[in-house]
Amino acid sequence: MLKQRVLTAALLVPLVVAAVFYLPFPAFVAVIAAVTLLGHWEWTQFVSSSSRWLTFIVPAAALALSIYSLPFSAYALSHLAVAPFSVAAAGAAWWLFATGLVLAFPKSGALWTHSRLLRQLFGLLTLLPFMWSVLILRAADYQFSTYYGAKLVLLVFVLVWCADSGAYFAGKAFGKHKMAPAVSPNKTLEGLLGGLVAAVAVTWAGAQLLDIHFASVGALLCIAVVTALASVLGDLAESMFKRVSGVKDSGNLLPGHGGILDRIDSLTAAFPVFTVLYFAFAN
């Protein structure tokens, strides 16, 4: 399994970086929309195991409508049109609410486990703000300088990947105190701390290497910590939904990693949170 994970990651990472930096903006929109649609398809098993295609119609229509009605061009997005930024803000607000669901689980399950409507809504709030947050960041080329938006997107990817790796190794080496045993028994507070340290270090180094501007070192540190915490929450939230649905992996598309949701769960929370914080406080 570890060998599969490493091989898959070794193939995916260069493809992700190439797409972020070199795809024309319309093609980049198409790729992110396709990833989001795949994520929505996998989410349908958290809503209904018997009518997945019918369940899929709602998020697919919502995604298509959002792309049709909201600014499509990189130039429009770069000037932070209200609608797309509001979608990102709604995603950040959803993750604040989801924190309560995760921390109170399994008691919180009484509020939503028997409601298909709420589970469908949770999927929309998880994936659509993720998509638009990535696009808002990528479009920053037109507001700042060439490749600046691509650097922002890459920074969030690397922040989350390093936070995840730091948490894994710190947890293996020092983990004793369970963080959320009802949701994910293997995660520890020591691992969380290791992930936060890794996230802060890589964000500071990445900002220097990529020439990404923050208002101050304090703003950088706060944004890195909050984004890393959000990424952990994204992972925990998907684990919670999988546990309730009796699903081990969201899919089998990525050998060693499971499905698309298994790979982007942390990113779905990190991107909206980083986007809102960066444009609100980092400039």
Side-chain angles (χ1 to χ4, degrees):
M1 182 65 72
L2 179 60
K3 183 179 179 180
Q4 280 187 327
R5 288 178 66 88
V6 171
L7 289 175
T8 301
L11 176 64
L12 284 179
V13 169
L15 290 177
V16 169
V17 174
V20 167
F21 277 86
Y22 299 117
L23 279 182
F25 192 75
F28 186 75
V29 172
V31 169
I32 296 301
V35 170
T36 305
L37 276 177
L38 286 171
H40 275 305
W41 168 250
E42 292 179 356
W43 191 279
T44 59
Q45 64 193 312
F46 303 156
V47 180
S48 172
S49 59
S50 59
S51 54
R52 293 183 65 183
W53 280 108
L54 185 62
T55 303
F56 182 65
I57 292 173
V58 173
L63 184 145
L65 182 62
S66 75
I67 290 179
Y68 177 77
S69 60
L70 297 181
F72 182 83
S73 73
Y75 180 80
L77 279 174
S78 71
H79 286 73
L80 292 183
V82 173
F85 191 71
S86 297
V87 175
W94 149 244
W95 288 109
L96 185 62
F97 176 73
T99 301
L101 294 182
V102 170
L103 294 178
F105 188 80
K107 290 183 179 180
S108 65
L111 300 174
W112 55 269
T113 53
H114 301 296
S115 173
R116 289 187 179 184
L117 178 62
L118 283 178
R119 283 179 284 167
Q120 183 80 284
L121 177 62
F122 293 166
L124 291 171
L125 289 172
T126 295
L127 287 160
L128 286 185
F130 158 72
M131 180 185 77
W132 279 101
S133 298
V134 175
L135 297 181
I136 289 171
L137 289 179
R138 180 62 184 82
D141 283 0
Y142 288 78
Q143 187 178 13
F144 298 106
S145 61
T146 303
Y147 291 126
Y148 194 84
K151 293 175 183 178
L152 285 172
V153 174
L154 179 62
L155 182 67
V156 180
F157 273 118
V158 174
L159 186 163
V160 172
W161 291 337
C162 289
D164 184 56
S165 297
Y168 175 80
F169 289 112
K172 292 285 279 187
F174 308 109
K176 291 182 180 180
H177 301 88
K178 302 295 184 182
M179 180 169 57
V183 176
S184 184
N186 294 327
K187 286 185 168 50
T188 65
L189 292 174
E190 291 81 5
L192 174 63
L193 181 59
L196 294 180
V197 171
V200 168
V202 77
T203 303
W204 180 83
Q208 306 305 310
L209 291 172
L210 298 174
D211 194 25
I212 294 175
H213 309 299
F214 286 85
S216 65
V217 174
L220 182 153
L221 296 178
C222 288
I223 291 173
V225 168
V226 176
T227 302
L229 286 172
S231 74
V232 173
L233 177 62
D235 187 15
L236 288 174
E238 198 214 352
S239 296
M240 178 177 69
F241 290 121
K242 288 195 296 187
R243 184 172 294 275
V244 169
S245 305
V247 175
K248 184 179 184 297
D249 293 318
S250 66
N252 55 14
L253 185 63
L254 304 174
H257 292 268
I260 290 293
L261 279 177
D262 296 318
R263 190 62 274 161
I264 68 169
D265 51 6
S266 299
L267 297 169
T268 59
F271 267 103
V273 169
F274 181 91
T275 300
V276 170
L277 292 178
Y278 185 79
F279 285 107
F281 301 112
N283 292 289

